[in-house]
Amino acid sequence: MKLIIAIIKDEDNDAVSRSLTREKFRVTFIASTGGFLRSGRSTLLIGVEDDQVDKALDVIRKNCKKPGESKEKRATIFVLNVNQFTQL
Amino acid sequence: MKLIIAIIKDEDNDAVSRSLTREKFRVTFIASTGGFLRSGRSTLLIGVEDDQVDKALDVIRKNCKKPGESKEKRATIFVLNVNQFTQL
Amino acid sequence: MKLIIAIIKDEDNDAVSRSLTREKFRVTFIASTGGFLRSGRSTLLIGVEDDQVDKALDVIRKNCKKPGESKEKRATIFVLNVNQFTQL
């Protein structure tokens, strides 16, 4: 089990979250800010089986708009090992 | 040391957070949303010693209401290994 | 790669975040609450190379005000191993 923490731009959140949900990923959304100007970021928590990490990253990649002139990254993604996973 | 990331329903947050605090766990609360309808979720961060993980999970379990008709889970819990822990 | 999750007091956030940014660390800010009185906390996510962890912790340490009479900690910091790191 892995926990994906994806930090994306607010404007990409709708497309990314809908696409992840459509593909049966469970997404938790946290409002956040980042960057020099503290602009809006969406921090997504996504718990996935190990063999689903690539698919989830692919969905995120395809649904983030390409960076424009700005050098700012469109998404920063951390994949963490999960020691124990429980659902109630 | 472990970091427990517990995603629970907002309506369970009060009971869960109070009970964890009463048992001397330190809880950080983050407002979030999740699920198909983007309903309210409480994301809790709880740092615990390895031998306290089960106790913390037990407190969470006992204080989440049982799922009703809905198939939605009441809680999603990730336990992560902590590489380094510091308090100032 | 490491993910630093730093939970600090709101009043320290400005100094800590500015200093981290000045030192070229990338910081994501999440509003949160914690402690007995559920007072304001800033949860910071900072992705860093392994050899930059100490420097980042040092910046946080130097920019949190010293605890006063209260026994409350000024900062709680978790350093997590990152299994996979991607930027788009």
Side-chain angles (χ1 to χ4, degrees):
Chain A
M1 195 77 189
K2 295 282 187 287
L3 174 62
I4 299 175
I5 300 181
I7 301 164
I8 61 176
K9 287 186 183 284
D10 276 353
E11 60 189 281
D12 289 328
N13 180 41
D14 220 59
V16 171
S17 289
R18 278 174 195 278
S19 304
L20 285 167
T21 304
R22 199 180 306 125
E23 299 288 339
K24 311 296 182 202
F25 291 106
R26 301 175 66 88
V27 182
T28 299
F29 163 86
I30 298 172
S32 44
T33 61
F36 185 63
L37 298 170
R38 306 194 182 188
S39 52
R41 294 286 186 280
S42 297
T43 295
L44 306 182
L45 307 183
I46 313 148
V48 300
E49 296 298 332
D50 287 34
D51 63 4
Q52 295 289 300
V53 170
D54 287 345
K55 185 177 170 189
L57 297 188
D58 208 47
V59 173
I60 297 171
R61 192 175 295 121
K62 280 184 184 152
N63 287 281
C64 283
K65 292 183 200 104
K66 290 213 183 94
E69 304 290 302
S70 156
K71 282 180 190 170
E72 275 200 311
K73 302 288 184 185
R74 297 299 294 195
T76 300
I77 302 169
F78 303 95
V79 182
L80 308 175
N81 286 320
V82 175
N83 185 268
Q84 195 178 332
F85 175 71
T86 310
Q87 278 192 311
L88 306 181
Chain B
M1 195 77 190
K2 295 282 187 285
L3 174 63
I4 299 174
I5 300 181
I7 302 164
I8 61 176
K9 286 185 183 284
D10 276 353
E11 59 189 281
D12 289 328
N13 180 40
D14 220 59
V16 171
S17 289
R18 278 174 195 279
S19 304
L20 285 167
T21 304
R22 198 180 306 125
E23 298 288 339
K24 311 295 182 202
F25 290 107
R26 300 175 66 88
V27 182
T28 299
F29 163 86
I30 298 172
S32 44
T33 60
F36 185 63
L37 297 171
R38 305 193 183 189
S39 53
R41 293 287 187 281
S42 298
T43 295
L44 306 181
L45 307 182
I46 313 149
V48 300
E49 296 297 333
D50 287 33
D51 62 5
Q52 295 289 300
V53 170
D54 288 346
K55 185 177 170 189
L57 297 188
D58 208 48
V59 173
I60 297 170
R61 193 175 294 121
K62 281 185 183 151
N63 287 281
C64 282
K65 292 182 200 106
K66 289 212 184 95
E69 303 291 302
S70 156
K71 282 181 189 171
E72 274 200 312
K73 301 289 184 183
R74 297 299 294 194
T76 300
I77 302 169
F78 304 95
V79 182
L80 307 176
N81 285 322
V82 174
N83 185 268
Q84 195 180 333
F85 176 71
T86 310
Q87 278 191 312
L88 306 180
Chain C
M1 195 78 189
K2 295 282 187 287
L3 174 62
I4 299 175
I5 300 180
I7 302 164
I8 61 176
K9 287 186 183 284
D10 276 353
E11 59 189 280
D12 289 328
N13 180 41
D14 219 59
V16 171
S17 290
R18 278 175 196 278
S19 303
L20 285 167
T21 303
R22 198 180 306 126
E23 300 287 339
K24 312 295 182 204
F25 290 106
R26 299 175 68 87
V27 183
T28 299
F29 163 86
I30 298 172
S32 44
T33 61
F36 185 63
L37 298 171
R38 305 193 184 188
S39 52
R41 293 286 187 281
S42 298
T43 295
L44 306 181
L45 307 183
I46 313 148
V48 301
E49 295 298 332
D50 287 34
D51 62 4
Q52 295 289 301
V53 170
D54 288 346
K55 185 177 170 189
L57 296 189
D58 208 47
V59 173
I60 297 170
R61 192 176 294 120
K62 280 184 184 152
N63 288 281
C64 282
K65 292 181 201 108
K66 290 212 184 94
E69 303 291 302
S70 155
K71 282 180 189 171
E72 275 200 310
K73 302 289 184 183
R74 298 298 295 194
T76 300
I77 302 168
F78 303 95
V79 182
L80 308 176
N81 286 321
V82 175
N83 185 268
Q84 195 178 334
F85 175 71
T86 310
Q87 278 191 311
L88 306 181

